[in-house]
Coordinates of all heavy atoms in Angstrom, one line a residue:
M1 N -34.4 25.4 -68.7 CA -33.3 26.2 -68.9 C -33.4 27.6 -68.1 O -34.5 28.2 -68.2 CB -33.0 26.5 -70.4 CG -32.0 25.5 -70.9 SD -31.0 26.3 -72.2 CE -32.1 26.1 -73.6
S2 N -32.4 28.0 -67.5 CA -32.4 29.2 -66.8 C -31.5 30.3 -67.4 O -30.3 29.9 -67.7 CB -32.1 29.0 -65.3 OG -32.0 30.2 -64.6
S3 N -32.0 31.5 -67.6 CA -31.1 32.5 -68.1 C -30.8 33.5 -67.0 O -30.4 34.7 -67.3 CB -31.7 33.2 -69.3 OG -33.0 33.7 -68.9
N4 N -31.0 33.1 -65.8 CA -30.7 34.0 -64.7 C -29.2 34.1 -64.4 O -28.7 33.1 -63.8 CB -31.5 33.6 -63.4 CG -31.3 34.5 -62.2 OD1 -30.8 35.6 -62.4 ND2 -31.6 34.0 -61.1
L5 N -28.6 35.1 -64.8 CA -27.1 35.2 -64.7 C -26.7 36.3 -63.6 O -25.7 36.8 -63.7 CB -26.5 35.6 -66.0 CG -26.5 34.4 -67.0 CD1 -26.1 34.9 -68.4 CD2 -25.5 33.3 -66.5
S6 N -27.7 36.5 -62.7 CA -27.3 37.4 -61.6 C -26.8 36.6 -60.4 O -27.5 35.9 -59.8 CB -28.5 38.2 -61.2 OG -28.9 39.1 -62.2
V7 N -25.5 36.8 -60.2 CA -24.8 36.0 -59.2 C -24.2 37.0 -58.2 O -23.5 37.9 -58.6 CB -23.7 35.1 -59.8 CG1 -23.1 34.2 -58.8 CG2 -24.2 34.3 -61.0
K8 N -24.4 36.7 -56.9 CA -23.8 37.5 -55.9 C -22.4 37.1 -55.7 O -22.2 35.9 -55.4 CB -24.7 37.4 -54.6 CG -25.9 38.3 -54.6 CD -25.9 39.2 -53.4 CE -27.0 40.3 -53.6 NZ -27.3 41.0 -52.4
R9 N -21.5 38.0 -55.8 CA -20.1 37.7 -55.6 C -19.4 38.7 -54.7 O -20.0 39.8 -54.4 CB -19.4 37.6 -56.9 CG -19.9 36.5 -57.8 CD -19.1 36.4 -59.1 NE -17.7 35.9 -58.7 CZ -17.4 34.6 -58.8 NH1 -18.2 33.7 -59.1 NH2 -16.1 34.2 -58.5
I10 N -18.2 38.4 -54.3 CA -17.5 39.3 -53.4 C -16.3 39.8 -54.2 O -15.5 39.0 -54.8 CB -17.0 38.6 -52.1 CG1 -18.2 38.3 -51.3 CG2 -16.0 39.5 -51.4 CD1 -17.9 37.3 -50.1
C11 N -16.1 41.1 -54.3 CA -15.1 41.7 -55.0 C -13.7 41.3 -54.5 O -13.5 41.4 -53.3 CB -15.2 43.3 -55.0 SG -13.9 44.1 -55.8
E12 N -12.8 40.9 -55.3 CA -11.5 40.4 -54.9 C -10.6 41.5 -54.4 O -9.6 41.3 -53.8 CB -10.8 39.6 -56.0 CG -11.4 38.2 -56.1 CD -10.6 37.4 -57.1 OE1 -9.4 37.7 -57.4 OE2 -11.2 36.5 -57.7
Y13 N -11.0 42.8 -54.8 CA -10.1 43.9 -54.5 C -10.6 44.6 -53.2 O -9.8 44.8 -52.3 CB -10.1 44.9 -55.7 CG -9.1 46.0 -55.4 CD1 -7.7 45.8 -55.6 CD2 -9.5 47.3 -54.9 CE1 -6.8 46.8 -55.4 CE2 -8.6 48.3 -54.7 CZ -7.3 48.1 -54.9 OH -6.4 49.1 -54.7
C14 N -11.9 45.0 -53.2 CA -12.4 45.8 -52.0 C -13.2 45.0 -51.1 O -13.5 45.4 -50.0 CB -13.1 47.0 -52.5 SG -14.7 46.6 -53.3
G15 N -13.6 43.8 -51.4 CA -14.4 42.9 -50.5 C -15.9 43.2 -50.5 O -16.6 42.5 -49.7
N16 N -16.4 44.1 -51.3 CA -17.8 44.4 -51.3 C -18.5 43.3 -52.1 O -18.0 42.7 -53.0 CB -18.0 45.8 -52.0 CG -17.7 46.9 -51.1 OD1 -17.8 46.8 -49.9 ND2 -17.4 48.1 -51.7
T17 N -19.8 43.1 -51.7 CA -20.6 42.2 -52.5 C -21.2 42.9 -53.6 O -21.5 44.1 -53.6 CB -21.7 41.6 -51.6 OG1 -22.4 42.6 -51.0 CG2 -21.2 40.7 -50.5
F18 N -21.3 42.2 -54.7 CA -21.9 42.8 -55.9 C -22.6 41.8 -56.7 O -22.4 40.6 -56.5 CB -20.8 43.5 -56.8 CG -19.8 42.6 -57.4 CD1 -19.9 42.2 -58.7 CD2 -18.8 42.1 -56.6 CE1 -19.0 41.3 -59.2 CE2 -17.8 41.2 -57.1 CZ -17.9 40.8 -58.5
T19 N -23.5 42.2 -57.6 CA -24.2 41.3 -58.5 C -23.5 41.2 -59.8 O -23.4 42.2 -60.6 CB -25.6 41.8 -58.7 OG1 -26.2 42.1 -57.4 CG2 -26.5 40.7 -59.4
A20 N -23.0 40.0 -60.1 CA -22.2 39.8 -61.3 C -23.1 39.3 -62.4 O -24.1 38.5 -62.1 CB -21.1 38.8 -61.0
K21 N -22.9 39.7 -63.6 CA -23.7 39.2 -64.7 C -23.0 38.0 -65.3 O -23.6 37.2 -66.1 CB -23.8 40.3 -65.8 CG -24.8 41.4 -65.4 CD -24.8 42.5 -66.4 CE -25.7 43.6 -65.9 NZ -25.1 45.0 -66.0
T22 N -21.8 37.8 -65.1 CA -21.1 36.6 -65.5 C -20.5 35.9 -64.3 O -20.2 36.5 -63.3 CB -20.0 36.9 -66.5 OG1 -19.0 37.7 -65.9 CG2 -20.5 37.7 -67.7
T23 N -20.2 34.6 -64.5 CA -19.7 33.8 -63.4 C -18.2 34.0 -63.2 O -17.6 33.6 -62.3 CB -19.9 32.3 -63.6 OG1 -19.5 31.9 -64.9 CG2 -21.4 32.0 -63.4
V24 N -17.5 34.7 -64.2 CA -16.1 34.9 -64.1 C -15.8 36.3 -63.6 O -14.6 36.6 -63.4 CB -15.4 34.7 -65.5 CG1 -15.5 33.3 -66.0 CG2 -16.1 35.7 -66.5
A25 N -16.8 37.1 -63.2 CA -16.5 38.4 -62.7 C -15.8 38.3 -61.3 O -16.2 37.5 -60.5 CB -17.8 39.2 -62.5
R26 N -14.8 39.1 -61.2 CA -14.0 39.0 -59.9 C -14.0 40.3 -59.2 O -13.7 40.4 -58.0 CB -12.5 38.6 -60.3 CG -12.4 37.2 -60.8 CD -11.0 37.1 -61.5 NE -10.0 37.3 -60.5 CZ -8.7 37.5 -60.8 NH1 -8.3 37.5 -62.1 NH2 -7.8 37.6 -59.9
F27 N -14.5 41.4 -59.8 CA -14.5 42.7 -59.2 C -15.8 43.4 -59.3 O -16.6 43.1 -60.2 CB -13.4 43.6 -59.8 CG -12.0 42.9 -59.8 CD1 -11.5 42.3 -60.9 CD2 -11.3 42.8 -58.6 CE1 -10.3 41.6 -60.9 CE2 -10.1 42.2 -58.6 CZ -9.6 41.6 -59.7
C28 N -16.1 44.3 -58.4 CA -17.4 44.9 -58.3 C -17.6 45.9 -59.5 O -18.7 46.3 -59.9 CB -17.7 45.6 -57.0 SG -16.5 47.0 -56.7
G29 N -16.5 46.4 -60.0 CA -16.5 47.4 -61.1 C -15.2 47.5 -61.8 O -14.2 46.9 -61.4
M30 N -15.2 48.4 -62.8 CA -14.0 48.6 -63.6 C -12.9 49.3 -62.7 O -11.7 49.0 -62.9 CB -14.3 49.6 -64.8 CG -15.0 48.9 -65.9 SD -14.1 47.6 -66.7 CE -12.8 48.5 -67.5
K31 N -13.3 50.0 -61.7 CA -12.4 50.7 -60.8 C -11.5 49.7 -60.1 O -10.3 49.8 -60.1 CB -13.1 51.6 -59.8 CG -12.3 52.8 -59.4 CD -13.1 53.8 -58.7 CE -13.5 53.5 -57.3 NZ -14.3 54.5 -56.6
C32 N -12.2 48.7 -59.5 CA -11.4 47.7 -58.8 C -10.7 46.8 -59.7 O -9.5 46.4 -59.4 CB -12.4 46.9 -57.9 SG -12.9 47.7 -56.4
N33 N -11.2 46.5 -60.9 CA -10.6 45.7 -61.9 C -9.3 46.3 -62.3 O -8.2 45.7 -62.3 CB -11.5 45.5 -63.0 CG -11.1 44.4 -63.9 OD1 -10.0 43.8 -63.7 ND2 -11.8 44.1 -65.0
S34 N -9.3 47.6 -62.7 CA -8.1 48.3 -63.2 C -7.1 48.5 -62.0 O -5.9 48.4 -62.2 CB -8.5 49.6 -63.8 OG -9.1 50.5 -62.9
R35 N -7.6 48.8 -60.8 CA -6.7 49.0 -59.7 C -5.9 47.7 -59.4 O -4.7 47.7 -59.1 CB -7.5 49.4 -58.5 CG -7.7 50.9 -58.5 CD -8.4 51.3 -57.2 NE -8.7 52.8 -57.2 CZ -9.3 53.4 -56.2 NH1 -9.7 52.7 -55.2 NH2 -9.6 54.7 -56.4
H36 N -6.7 46.6 -59.4 CA -6.0 45.3 -59.2 C -5.0 45.0 -60.3 O -3.9 44.6 -60.0 CB -7.1 44.2 -59.1 CG -6.6 42.8 -58.9 ND1 -6.3 42.4 -57.6 CD2 -6.2 41.8 -59.7 CE1 -5.8 41.2 -57.7 NE2 -5.7 40.8 -59.0
G37 N -5.4 45.3 -61.5 CA -4.4 45.1 -62.6 C -3.2 46.0 -62.5 O -2.1 45.5 -62.7
K38 N -3.4 47.2 -62.1 CA -2.2 48.1 -61.9 C -1.3 47.6 -60.8 O -0.1 47.7 -60.9 CB -2.7 49.5 -61.6 CG -3.0 50.3 -62.8 CD -3.5 51.7 -62.5 CE -4.0 52.4 -63.7 NZ -4.7 53.7 -63.4
H39 N -1.9 47.1 -59.7 CA -1.1 46.6 -58.6 C -0.3 45.4 -59.1 O 0.9 45.3 -58.7 CB -2.1 46.1 -57.5 CG -1.4 45.7 -56.2 ND1 -0.7 46.6 -55.4 CD2 -1.3 44.5 -55.7 CE1 -0.2 45.9 -54.4 NE2 -0.5 44.6 -54.5
R40 N -0.9 44.6 -59.9 CA -0.1 43.4 -60.4 C 1.0 43.9 -61.3 O 2.1 43.4 -61.2 CB -1.1 42.5 -61.1 CG -1.7 41.5 -60.2 CD -2.6 40.5 -60.9 NE -1.9 39.7 -61.9 CZ -2.5 39.0 -62.8 NH1 -3.8 39.0 -62.9 NH2 -1.8 38.2 -63.6
V41 N 0.7 44.8 -62.1 CA 1.8 45.4 -63.1 C 2.9 45.9 -62.3 O 4.1 45.7 -62.6 CB 1.1 46.4 -64.0 CG1 2.2 47.2 -64.7 CG2 0.2 45.7 -65.0
R42 N 2.6 46.7 -61.2 CA 3.6 47.3 -60.4 C 4.5 46.2 -59.8 O 5.7 46.3 -59.7 CB 3.0 48.1 -59.3 CG 4.0 49.2 -58.7 CD 3.4 49.9 -57.5 NE 2.2 50.7 -57.9 CZ 1.3 51.1 -57.0 NH1 1.4 50.7 -55.7 NH2 0.3 51.8 -57.3
Q43 N 3.9 45.2 -59.3 CA 4.7 44.1 -58.7 C 5.6 43.4 -59.7 O 6.8 43.1 -59.4 CB 3.8 43.0 -58.1 CG 3.2 43.5 -56.7 CD 2.4 42.4 -56.1 OE1 1.6 41.7 -56.8 NE2 2.4 42.2 -54.8
L44 N 5.1 43.3 -60.9 CA 5.9 42.7 -62.0 C 7.1 43.6 -62.3 O 8.2 43.2 -62.6 CB 5.1 42.5 -63.2 CG 4.1 41.2 -63.2 CD1 3.2 41.2 -64.4 CD2 4.9 40.0 -63.1
K45 N 6.8 44.9 -62.3 CA 7.9 45.9 -62.7 C 8.9 45.9 -61.6 O 10.1 46.0 -61.9 CB 7.2 47.3 -62.8 CG 6.7 47.6 -64.2 CD 6.3 49.0 -64.3 CE 5.7 49.2 -65.7 NZ 5.1 50.6 -65.9
I46 N 8.6 45.8 -60.3 CA 9.5 45.7 -59.2 C 10.4 44.5 -59.4 O 11.6 44.6 -59.3 CB 8.8 45.7 -57.9 CG1 8.2 47.1 -57.6 CG2 9.8 45.3 -56.8 CD1 7.2 47.1 -56.4
K47 N 9.8 43.4 -59.8 CA 10.6 42.1 -60.0 C 11.5 42.3 -61.2 O 12.7 41.9 -61.2 CB 9.6 41.0 -60.3 CG 9.1 40.4 -59.0 CD 8.8 38.9 -59.2 CE 8.6 38.2 -57.8 NZ 8.0 36.9 -58.0
A48 N 11.0 43.0 -62.2 CA 11.8 43.2 -63.4 C 13.0 44.1 -63.1 O 14.1 43.8 -63.6 CB 11.0 43.8 -64.5
S49 N 12.8 45.1 -62.3 CA 13.9 46.0 -62.0 C 14.9 45.3 -61.1 O 16.1 45.6 -61.2 CB 13.3 47.3 -61.3 OG 12.9 47.0 -60.0
E50 N 14.5 44.4 -60.2 CA 15.4 43.7 -59.4 C 16.3 42.8 -60.3 O 17.5 42.8 -60.1 CB 14.6 42.7 -58.5 CG 14.3 43.5 -57.2 CD 13.4 42.6 -56.3 OE1 13.2 41.4 -56.6 OE2 12.9 43.1 -55.3
I51 N 15.7 42.2 -61.3 CA 16.5 41.4 -62.2 C 17.5 42.3 -63.0 O 18.7 42.0 -63.2 CB 15.6 40.6 -63.2 CG1 14.8 39.6 -62.4 CG2 16.4 40.0 -64.3 CD1 13.6 39.1 -63.1
E52 N 17.0 43.5 -63.4 CA 17.8 44.4 -64.1 C 19.1 44.8 -63.3 O 20.2 44.9 -63.8 CB 17.0 45.6 -64.5 CG 17.2 46.2 -65.9 CD 16.2 47.2 -66.3 OE1 16.3 48.3 -65.8 OE2 15.3 46.8 -67.0
V53 N 18.8 45.1 -62.0 CA 19.9 45.5 -61.2 C 21.0 44.4 -61.1 O 22.2 44.6 -61.2 CB 19.4 45.9 -59.8 CG1 20.5 46.0 -58.8 CG2 18.6 47.2 -59.8
K54 N 20.5 43.2 -60.9 CA 21.4 42.1 -60.8 C 22.2 41.9 -62.1 O 23.4 41.6 -62.0 CB 20.6 40.8 -60.5 CG 20.3 40.6 -59.0 CD 19.5 39.4 -58.8 CE 19.0 39.4 -57.3 NZ 18.0 38.3 -57.2
Q55 N 21.5 42.1 -63.2 CA 22.2 42.0 -64.5 C 23.3 43.1 -64.7 O 24.4 42.8 -65.1 CB 21.2 42.0 -65.6 CG 20.5 40.7 -65.8 CD 19.4 40.7 -66.9 OE1 18.9 41.8 -67.2 NE2 19.0 39.6 -67.4
T56 N 22.9 44.3 -64.2 CA 23.8 45.4 -64.3 C 25.0 45.2 -63.5 O 26.2 45.4 -63.9 CB 23.1 46.7 -63.9 OG1 21.9 46.8 -64.6 CG2 23.9 47.9 -64.2
V57 N 24.8 44.7 -62.2 CA 25.9 44.4 -61.4 C 26.8 43.3 -62.0 O 28.1 43.4 -62.0 CB 25.4 43.9 -60.0 CG1 26.5 43.3 -59.1 CG2 24.7 45.1 -59.3
A58 N 26.2 42.3 -62.6 CA 27.0 41.2 -63.2 C 27.8 41.8 -64.4 O 29.0 41.4 -64.6 CB 26.0 40.1 -63.6
L59 N 27.2 42.6 -65.1 CA 27.8 43.2 -66.3 C 29.0 44.1 -65.8 O 30.1 44.1 -66.4 CB 26.8 44.0 -67.1 CG 25.9 43.2 -68.0 CD1 24.8 44.1 -68.6 CD2 26.7 42.6 -69.2
G60 N 28.7 44.9 -64.7 CA 29.8 45.8 -64.2 C 31.0 45.0 -63.7 O 32.1 45.4 -63.9
L61 N 30.7 43.8 -63.1 CA 31.8 43.0 -62.6 C 32.6 42.4 -63.7 O 33.8 42.4 -63.7 CB 31.2 41.9 -61.7 CG 30.8 42.3 -60.3 CD1 30.1 41.2 -59.6 CD2 32.0 42.8 -59.4
S62 N 31.9 41.9 -64.8 CA 32.6 41.3 -65.9 C 33.4 42.3 -66.6 O 34.4 42.0 -67.2 CB 31.6 40.6 -66.8 OG 30.7 41.6 -67.4
A63 N 33.0 43.6 -66.6 CA 33.8 44.7 -67.2 C 35.1 44.9 -66.6 O 36.1 45.3 -67.2 CB 32.9 46.0 -67.3
W64 N 35.1 44.6 -65.3 CA 36.4 44.8 -64.5 C 37.3 43.7 -64.7 O 38.5 43.8 -64.4 CB 36.1 45.0 -63.0 CG 35.5 46.4 -62.7 CD1 34.2 46.8 -62.6 CD2 36.3 47.6 -62.5 NE1 34.2 48.1 -62.3 CE2 35.4 48.6 -62.3 CE3 37.7 47.9 -62.6 CZ2 35.9 49.9 -62.1 CZ3 38.1 49.2 -62.3 CH2 37.2 50.2 -62.1
L65 N 36.8 42.5 -65.1 CA 37.7 41.3 -65.2 C 38.5 41.3 -66.5 O 38.0 41.8 -67.5 CB 36.8 40.1 -65.1 CG 36.2 39.9 -63.6 CD1 35.2 38.8 -63.7 CD2 37.3 39.6 -62.6
Ligands
LIG1 ZN1 -14.5 46.3 -55.6

């Protein structure tokens, strides 16, 4: 049995190599992890606002009918 959990991985955000303690690690540190998370949240918010605008336009049109 091996308890060697030092795995060399490449950060998905900045591309740097780092030593991960778990096989599920995707980022070199909390900084890249949170930055990547914020980026995803922003993209989701943009999509949400697009839907909101469409709904507002649809509501505005129905108010005129
Ligand atoms: Zn990184």
Side-chain angles (χ1 to χ4, degrees):
M1 263 213 276
S2 173
S3 58
N4 181 14
L5 286 170
S6 290
V7 188
K8 280 234 168 166
R9 295 187 68 92
I10 294 167
C11 176
E12 282 186 25
Y13 186 82
C14 69
N16 282 336
T17 53
F18 65 100
T19 308
K21 284 174 185 137
T22 63
T23 52
V24 292
R26 292 165 62 195
F27 307 100
C28 65
M30 285 298 290
K31 206 162 83 177
C32 284
N33 195 357
S34 63
R35 276 184 185 179
H36 180 83
K38 273 179 190 170
H39 185 67
R40 272 180 64 190
V41 167
R42 199 187 297 160
Q43 280 183 325
L44 284 172
K45 274 187 181 173
I46 288 166
K47 276 210 170 165
S49 70
E50 274 176 7
I51 291 163
E52 220 167 77
V53 167
K54 276 178 191 167
Q55 282 177 337
T56 308
V57 170
L59 283 171
L61 284 172
S62 63
W64 282 97
L65 293 169

